Amino acid sequence: MLFVIYAEDIENSLAKRKLHSIEHRQRLHQLKDEGRLVIAGPCPLVEQQQSHDAGFSGSVIIAEFSSLEAAQKWADSDPFLLNGIYASVIVKPFIQFLP
């Protein structure tokens, strides 16, 4: 089943994000390589698509997991959460309606 993982960043998280982005992205690439990743990306603080210097307010990941418990366990071991970048993480079942 699909699950949405929505994470909210702490304020001024950009410097910490840069320090831990390699480990964070490696986990996402693993999900992609396994064919389980639907979409993943950060929520920018400003509306411009290439606004990385402005920072981010959080992240959204939609991926396939065997259960809510498995999705929560995966989210709980994210380097961004473990290193204090995410202030909160919500994991919920998700049904893809479109496309």
Side-chain angles (χ1 to χ4, degrees):
M1 176 166 203
L2 293 178
F3 293 86
V4 61
I5 299 169
Y6 177 73
E8 285 279 336
D9 280 22
I10 61 169
E11 286 191 40
N12 302 311
S13 63
L14 187 58
K16 280 187 151 186
R17 271 182 170 264
K18 288 179 179 179
L19 285 175
H20 301 284
S21 65
I22 291 174
E23 309 101 290
H24 173 76
R25 289 180 181 180
Q26 285 174 338
R27 298 176 80 237
L28 293 171
H29 282 289
Q30 182 179 359
L31 283 179
K32 181 180 177 255
D33 293 345
E34 294 170 356
R36 298 171 40 207
L37 183 65
V38 174
I39 195 164
C43 301
L45 287 173
V46 296
E47 292 182 40
Q48 299 168 355
Q49 193 171 31
Q50 297 301 323
S51 60
H52 300 130
D53 292 337
F56 302 96
S57 63
S59 299
V60 175
I61 299 164
I62 299 176
E64 185 177 333
F65 293 92
S66 60
S67 65
L68 177 59
E69 181 181 346
Q72 187 69 58
K73 184 177 177 180
W74 188 90
D76 288 345
S77 62
D78 192 295
F80 279 7
L81 181 62
L82 297 176
N83 289 288
I85 296 156
Y86 288 156
S88 65
V89 177
I90 297 171
V91 180
K92 293 183 178 187
F94 179 80
I95 297 172
Q96 184 175 356
F97 179 69
L98 288 173

